[in-house]
Amino acid sequence: MVFSAIDATIKPVSSDQPVITINGMFPGPPINGTTNDIVHVNVFNEMDEPLLFTWNGIQQRLNSWQDGVSGTNCPILPGMNWTYVFVLKDQIGTFFYFPSLNFQKAGGGFGAIRVNNRAVIEVPFVRPEAEFDLLIGDWYHMSYKIVRSLIKTKDDLPQTGIPIWMLMNGKGPYKNPKSKTYESFTVTKGKTYLFRISNVGSTWSFNFRIQNHMMMLVETEGSYTNQIILDSLDVHVGQSYSVLVTADQEVKDYYIVASPSMYETPESSSFVGVGVLHYDTSTVTPSGPLPVGPNPFDLAFSLNQARSIRWNITTGAARPNPQGSFNVSNVTLSQTFYLRGSKAIISGAPHYIVNKVSYLTPDTPLKLADQFSDGAGVYVLDQYQTNTSNADYVIGTFVATGIHKVWIELVFKNDLLVMDSWHLDGFGFFVVGFGDGEWTPASRLTYNIHDPVVRATVQVFPGKWSAVYAFLDNPGMWNLRSATLKNWYLGQELYIRIFDPDKNPIKETPPPDNLILCGKYKVVPPAPAPSLP
């Protein structure tokens, strides 16, 4: 498929601001594939600044060259194009793509990714009547270019500098006078539908619910879950879920609601996303108050729900063998990273940090440096601590060794007063634990190692920690970041380098033929020949 990325003004909420559209669409067109399909995406950059796309949750097996972040790819410059080619290798599920550079995600450019089961692999629920992609996210009322400029100098912005809208598929809340349109899904009484829900926002976790309707959770970011019935679902930044909804109520229209967590909002507020579930023969519009969710400050509710989301270990997924045939009940850990996310003022400017390090993006992508000089002149491997805070606050290129084919434990500690999310490219990780205060090795006694869900993004509650296990069998240069956009943009990230010395292309894909060079490896055109006298 072809992506033409354009900075357009389409006023999703009646504000003049640049919106990143793909082929004129906001959100962009969905990518609908099947396990092991080869995907070609030719990106034409018609914007006025460099561009990359990343594929949130797609593991890019043995091929970090296609990951589309600053550590793996040179940017696509304005007026240029580049083709991504990647395999949906041994994956199923609900994912999304978005632009990864320069805070651009806050301006749009995102779209849904569906990876369907192969026909020979059974889905562990009755086939739905239809499937709906639902990309929900907070939205600024000003240009993302202005916001990114402001946050570089002032972290605690006034009301005008935080997202004040919640959009559903790029559309404003139902009945809000500033919304140009609203999202609506048409259903037939008695039928069951699959909603693929992703939090594509930059800041707010949200609670999702449908008036008078229950939801059955069935999948998250490529893993089939134990099927639990919910009246509301917390979705944190960067996360995706699939839920089944049966149209089993009186024939009329109902509210669909997404309200931010950890923020007090009246139902009329633009912070509350509102859409409509429309029964196809209904003549009655939604009525009454919006369905009430949990208290937005009730972290115990959210934490208990997170712990209740378990892996369905008896069903297959991308392969016919049960998901639980590869589990963590008796693994040997070879590495532990204890990563503290926080913020600090460094050299007079706000930064977000990991173990006191704010990430500095070099001009040369790390993966390119690995290919041509084993990283020399671009980064120093293991320069910074991964299991304790470094001595001083620094700005540096944080790259850590991940040992190939061993189990790693990643413990994320949130020293902020707000929710955070962490995402790891290249892998699905087992979410084994959540806890209060400081993590210690004794905290492992509280882990769920029987059926922890596997996903790529985990929430970290304020003042608390989250722990995951990952098996480092995917060589490459992989980004580990806060999914909260401001945190990421201001330095809360690092890279894990997983190296296999075997140069056999079966072990790791060599650079693509269309590799873009930049930084210290940029090809300088020869000087023009002198003109003849």
Short mmCIF file of all heavy atoms in Angstrom, two decimals, residues 40-71:
data_model
loop_
_atom_site.label_atom_id
_atom_site.label_comp_id
_atom_site.label_asym_id
_atom_site.label_seq_id
_atom_site.Cartn_x
_atom_site.Cartn_y
_atom_site.Cartn_z
N HIS A 40 4.04 -4.32 2.41
CA HIS A 40 4.82 -3.29 1.75
C HIS A 40 4.09 -1.96 1.96
O HIS A 40 2.92 -1.84 1.59
CB HIS A 40 4.95 -3.55 0.24
CG HIS A 40 5.68 -4.82 -0.10
ND1 HIS A 40 6.92 -4.83 -0.70
CD2 HIS A 40 5.34 -6.12 0.07
CE1 HIS A 40 7.30 -6.09 -0.88
NE2 HIS A 40 6.37 -6.90 -0.43
N VAL A 41 4.76 -0.98 2.54
CA VAL A 41 4.17 0.34 2.73
C VAL A 41 5.14 1.38 2.15
O VAL A 41 6.23 1.59 2.70
CB VAL A 41 3.88 0.66 4.20
CG1 VAL A 41 3.20 2.02 4.32
CG2 VAL A 41 3.02 -0.42 4.84
N ASN A 42 4.75 1.99 1.05
CA ASN A 42 5.59 3.00 0.41
C ASN A 42 5.15 4.37 0.93
O ASN A 42 4.03 4.82 0.66
CB ASN A 42 5.44 2.93 -1.11
CG ASN A 42 6.46 3.79 -1.84
OD1 ASN A 42 7.27 4.48 -1.21
ND2 ASN A 42 6.43 3.76 -3.15
N VAL A 43 6.01 5.01 1.73
CA VAL A 43 5.68 6.27 2.38
C VAL A 43 6.25 7.43 1.57
O VAL A 43 7.46 7.51 1.34
CB VAL A 43 6.23 6.31 3.82
CG1 VAL A 43 5.98 7.68 4.45
CG2 VAL A 43 5.62 5.21 4.66
N PHE A 44 5.36 8.32 1.14
CA PHE A 44 5.76 9.57 0.48
C PHE A 44 5.61 10.69 1.50
O PHE A 44 4.51 10.95 2.00
CB PHE A 44 4.87 9.83 -0.74
CG PHE A 44 5.15 8.93 -1.91
CD1 PHE A 44 4.60 7.65 -1.94
CD2 PHE A 44 5.94 9.34 -2.95
CE1 PHE A 44 4.85 6.80 -3.01
CE2 PHE A 44 6.20 8.51 -4.03
CZ PHE A 44 5.65 7.23 -4.06
N ASN A 45 6.72 11.35 1.79
CA ASN A 45 6.70 12.43 2.78
C ASN A 45 6.39 13.76 2.10
O ASN A 45 7.27 14.38 1.50
CB ASN A 45 8.03 12.50 3.52
CG ASN A 45 8.02 13.57 4.60
OD1 ASN A 45 7.00 14.20 4.87
ND2 ASN A 45 9.16 13.77 5.24
N GLU A 46 5.16 14.18 2.21
CA GLU A 46 4.75 15.47 1.65
C GLU A 46 4.62 16.53 2.74
O GLU A 46 4.00 17.58 2.53
CB GLU A 46 3.44 15.30 0.89
CG GLU A 46 3.56 14.33 -0.28
CD GLU A 46 2.29 14.18 -1.08
OE1 GLU A 46 1.45 15.10 -1.05
OE2 GLU A 46 2.13 13.14 -1.73
N MET A 47 5.24 16.25 3.90
CA MET A 47 5.26 17.22 4.98
C MET A 47 6.47 18.16 4.82
O MET A 47 7.27 18.00 3.89
CB MET A 47 5.30 16.50 6.33
CG MET A 47 4.05 15.68 6.61
SD MET A 47 4.19 14.67 8.10
CE MET A 47 4.57 15.89 9.34
N ASP A 48 6.61 19.08 5.76
CA ASP A 48 7.73 20.03 5.71
C ASP A 48 8.83 19.67 6.69
O ASP A 48 9.69 20.49 6.99
CB ASP A 48 7.23 21.46 5.97
CG ASP A 48 6.56 21.62 7.33
OD1 ASP A 48 6.49 20.62 8.08
OD2 ASP A 48 6.10 22.73 7.63
N GLU A 49 8.83 18.43 7.20
CA GLU A 49 9.87 17.99 8.14
C GLU A 49 10.06 16.48 8.00
O GLU A 49 9.21 15.77 7.44
CB GLU A 49 9.49 18.37 9.56
CG GLU A 49 8.15 17.87 10.04
CD GLU A 49 7.78 18.45 11.41
OE1 GLU A 49 8.14 19.61 11.69
OE2 GLU A 49 7.15 17.73 12.19
N PRO A 50 11.18 15.94 8.52
CA PRO A 50 11.46 14.51 8.39
C PRO A 50 10.38 13.66 9.05
O PRO A 50 9.68 14.09 9.97
CB PRO A 50 12.82 14.34 9.08
CG PRO A 50 13.45 15.69 9.01
CD PRO A 50 12.31 16.67 9.13
N LEU A 51 10.29 12.40 8.59
CA LEU A 51 9.17 11.53 8.96
C LEU A 51 9.64 10.08 9.05
O LEU A 51 10.47 9.63 8.25
CB LEU A 51 8.06 11.66 7.91
CG LEU A 51 6.81 10.79 8.03
CD1 LEU A 51 5.97 11.24 9.22
CD2 LEU A 51 5.99 10.87 6.75
N LEU A 52 9.12 9.37 10.03
CA LEU A 52 9.23 7.91 10.10
C LEU A 52 7.92 7.37 10.66
O LEU A 52 7.25 8.04 11.45
CB LEU A 52 10.38 7.46 11.02
CG LEU A 52 11.81 7.55 10.49
CD1 LEU A 52 12.80 7.20 11.60
CD2 LEU A 52 12.01 6.63 9.29
N PHE A 53 7.57 6.15 10.29
CA PHE A 53 6.44 5.46 10.90
C PHE A 53 6.94 4.24 11.67
O PHE A 53 7.84 3.54 11.22
CB PHE A 53 5.43 4.99 9.84
CG PHE A 53 4.55 6.09 9.33
CD1 PHE A 53 4.88 6.79 8.19
CD2 PHE A 53 3.39 6.44 10.02
CE1 PHE A 53 4.07 7.81 7.72
CE2 PHE A 53 2.58 7.46 9.56
CZ PHE A 53 2.92 8.15 8.40
N THR A 54 6.33 4.01 12.83
CA THR A 54 6.61 2.79 13.58
C THR A 54 5.30 2.02 13.72
O THR A 54 4.21 2.59 13.65
CB THR A 54 7.27 3.09 14.94
OG1 THR A 54 7.78 1.87 15.49
CG2 THR A 54 6.29 3.72 15.91
N TRP A 55 5.42 0.72 13.96
CA TRP A 55 4.30 -0.21 13.87
C TRP A 55 4.11 -0.82 15.25
O TRP A 55 4.66 -1.86 15.58
CB TRP A 55 4.59 -1.25 12.79
CG TRP A 55 5.28 -0.58 11.62
CD1 TRP A 55 6.63 -0.48 11.41
CD2 TRP A 55 4.66 0.13 10.53
NE1 TRP A 55 6.89 0.23 10.26
CE2 TRP A 55 5.70 0.63 9.70
CE3 TRP A 55 3.32 0.39 10.19
CZ2 TRP A 55 5.44 1.38 8.56
CZ3 TRP A 55 3.08 1.13 9.05
CH2 TRP A 55 4.12 1.61 8.24
N ASN A 56 3.33 -0.15 16.08
CA ASN A 56 3.25 -0.39 17.51
C ASN A 56 2.79 -1.82 17.83
O ASN A 56 1.63 -2.16 17.66
CB ASN A 56 2.28 0.61 18.13
CG ASN A 56 2.51 0.85 19.60
OD1 ASN A 56 3.53 1.39 19.97
ND2 ASN A 56 1.56 0.45 20.44
N GLY A 57 3.72 -2.65 18.30
CA GLY A 57 3.41 -4.03 18.66
C GLY A 57 3.78 -5.05 17.61
O GLY A 57 3.79 -6.25 17.91
N ILE A 58 4.05 -4.61 16.37
CA ILE A 58 4.52 -5.55 15.34
C ILE A 58 5.99 -5.84 15.63
O ILE A 58 6.82 -4.94 15.69
CB ILE A 58 4.33 -4.97 13.93
CG1 ILE A 58 2.85 -4.65 13.69
CG2 ILE A 58 4.86 -5.93 12.89
CD1 ILE A 58 1.91 -5.83 13.80
N GLN A 59 6.33 -7.12 15.77
CA GLN A 59 7.62 -7.48 16.36
C GLN A 59 8.81 -7.39 15.41
O GLN A 59 9.96 -7.43 15.87
CB GLN A 59 7.53 -8.88 16.96
CG GLN A 59 6.60 -8.94 18.16
CD GLN A 59 6.50 -10.32 18.78
OE1 GLN A 59 7.27 -11.23 18.45
NE2 GLN A 59 5.53 -10.51 19.65
N GLN A 60 8.57 -7.28 14.11
CA GLN A 60 9.69 -7.13 13.15
C GLN A 60 10.75 -8.20 13.43
O GLN A 60 11.94 -7.91 13.60
CB GLN A 60 10.31 -5.74 13.26
CG GLN A 60 9.35 -4.58 13.15
CD GLN A 60 8.73 -4.44 11.77
OE1 GLN A 60 9.02 -5.20 10.85
NE2 GLN A 60 7.84 -3.48 11.62
N ARG A 61 10.33 -9.45 13.41
CA ARG A 61 11.22 -10.55 13.77
C ARG A 61 12.48 -10.54 12.92
O ARG A 61 12.43 -10.53 11.68
CB ARG A 61 10.50 -11.89 13.61
CG ARG A 61 9.30 -12.07 14.52
CD ARG A 61 9.67 -12.20 15.97
NE ARG A 61 10.61 -13.30 16.22
CZ ARG A 61 11.19 -13.51 17.39
NH1 ARG A 61 10.96 -12.71 18.41
NH2 ARG A 61 12.02 -14.52 17.53
N LEU A 62 13.64 -10.50 13.58
CA LEU A 62 14.98 -10.53 12.97
C LEU A 62 15.21 -9.36 12.03
O LEU A 62 16.09 -9.41 11.18
CB LEU A 62 15.21 -11.85 12.22
CG LEU A 62 14.89 -13.15 12.96
CD1 LEU A 62 15.20 -14.36 12.10
CD2 LEU A 62 15.65 -13.24 14.27
N ASN A 63 14.45 -8.27 12.20
CA ASN A 63 14.49 -7.23 11.17
C ASN A 63 14.20 -5.85 11.78
O ASN A 63 13.24 -5.18 11.42
CB ASN A 63 13.46 -7.55 10.08
CG ASN A 63 13.68 -6.74 8.81
OD1 ASN A 63 14.70 -6.06 8.67
ND2 ASN A 63 12.73 -6.80 7.92
N SER A 64 15.07 -5.41 12.71
CA SER A 64 14.83 -4.09 13.30
C SER A 64 15.05 -2.96 12.29
O SER A 64 14.72 -1.81 12.59
CB SER A 64 15.72 -3.89 14.54
OG SER A 64 17.10 -3.92 14.22
N TRP A 65 15.55 -3.28 11.10
CA TRP A 65 15.70 -2.28 10.05
C TRP A 65 14.36 -1.67 9.65
O TRP A 65 14.31 -0.57 9.08
CB TRP A 65 16.33 -2.91 8.80
CG TRP A 65 17.73 -3.38 8.98
CD1 TRP A 65 18.16 -4.67 9.08
CD2 TRP A 65 18.91 -2.57 9.09
NE1 TRP A 65 19.52 -4.73 9.24
CE2 TRP A 65 20.02 -3.45 9.25
CE3 TRP A 65 19.14 -1.20 9.07
CZ2 TRP A 65 21.32 -2.98 9.39
CZ3 TRP A 65 20.45 -0.74 9.21
CH2 TRP A 65 21.51 -1.63 9.37
N GLN A 66 13.27 -2.34 9.93
CA GLN A 66 11.95 -1.85 9.51
C GLN A 66 11.16 -1.24 10.67
O GLN A 66 9.98 -0.93 10.53
CB GLN A 66 11.14 -3.01 8.92
CG GLN A 66 11.83 -3.75 7.78
CD GLN A 66 12.03 -2.89 6.55
OE1 GLN A 66 11.21 -2.02 6.24
NE2 GLN A 66 13.12 -3.11 5.83
N ASP A 67 11.82 -1.04 11.82
CA ASP A 67 11.08 -0.64 13.02
C ASP A 67 10.62 0.82 12.97
O ASP A 67 9.64 1.18 13.61
CB ASP A 67 11.95 -0.88 14.26
CG ASP A 67 11.14 -0.95 15.54
OD1 ASP A 67 9.97 -1.40 15.47
OD2 ASP A 67 11.65 -0.54 16.58
N GLY A 68 11.33 1.65 12.27
CA GLY A 68 10.85 3.01 12.04
C GLY A 68 10.95 3.95 13.22
O GLY A 68 10.06 4.77 13.44
N VAL A 69 12.04 3.86 14.00
CA VAL A 69 12.30 4.81 15.07
C VAL A 69 13.70 5.38 14.87
O VAL A 69 14.49 4.89 14.06
CB VAL A 69 12.16 4.16 16.47
CG1 VAL A 69 10.71 3.84 16.79
CG2 VAL A 69 13.02 2.89 16.57
N SER A 70 14.04 6.41 15.63
CA SER A 70 15.28 7.15 15.36
C SER A 70 16.52 6.30 15.54
O SER A 70 17.56 6.58 14.93
CB SER A 70 15.36 8.38 16.26
OG SER A 70 15.50 8.01 17.63
N GLY A 71 16.46 5.25 16.37
CA GLY A 71 17.63 4.41 16.59
C GLY A 71 17.86 3.37 15.52
O GLY A 71 18.91 2.72 15.52
#
